[in-house]
Amino acid sequence: MHRYLIYAAYGWLALGGMMHFFIDVVSQYLRHKRAPGPEATLFYGMNTAYAFGQVMFGLFGLLVAWQAFDLLGRWPAISLTLTAAACWLIFDFIFIEYWEPKFIVAIFAALAIAAALTT
């Protein structure tokens, strides 16, 4: 069960980061939802960096799971994963007004906690 939860957690994070990027950045840019200016640049930059961080962390987690699965059962990897989830949730509640990114990270956090408890 631990193996499935690890793959589900990191896979969900990578998928959620890609969804966040395409929905909040690409689609709004293509539909011209934001007037050009410093606020739009800040919005696109912040959401791009947020989504890129999630995709890279998720893909790196999947790579580690594929190459050296035993590393993800040790406390440094577990604490890094849970710290990242907590930081993304804090960032969500402070800076992002939409509820969808909060939901994506909450699911990742739940999967990561479940994976940590099954080691």
Side-chain angles (χ1 to χ4, degrees):
M1 190 64 174
H2 178 68
R3 181 174 296 273
Y4 295 124
L5 288 171
I6 290 289
Y7 281 111
Y10 290 114
W12 173 254
L13 186 64
L15 177 66
M18 285 188 278
M19 288 189 311
H20 179 77
F21 178 73
F22 286 115
I23 293 169
D24 279 351
V25 178
V26 174
S27 78
Q28 289 196 21
Y29 180 78
L30 293 177
R31 293 182 294 149
H32 304 289
K33 288 289 188 181
R34 307 247 173 213
E39 293 85 11
T41 302
L42 179 64
F43 175 82
Y44 292 134
M46 181 183 66
N47 281 292
T48 299
Y50 178 84
F52 183 71
Q54 286 184 343
V55 170
M56 289 296 106
F57 195 84
L59 290 177
F60 184 69
L62 288 173
L63 180 67
V64 170
W66 183 50
Q67 293 292 322
F69 189 80
D70 294 336
L71 290 177
L72 295 176
R74 297 186 182 158
W75 72 268
I78 293 170
S79 62
L80 179 67
T81 299
L82 295 177
T83 302
C87 290
W88 277 315
L89 280 172
I90 291 168
F91 187 85
D92 275 337
F93 282 105
I94 293 174
F95 296 109
I96 297 179
E97 64 268 12
Y98 306 114
W99 64 269
E100 289 88 353
K102 295 172 183 68
F103 186 68
I104 289 171
V105 175
I107 290 175
F108 169 69
L111 288 169
I113 290 169
L117 293 176
T118 59
T119 47

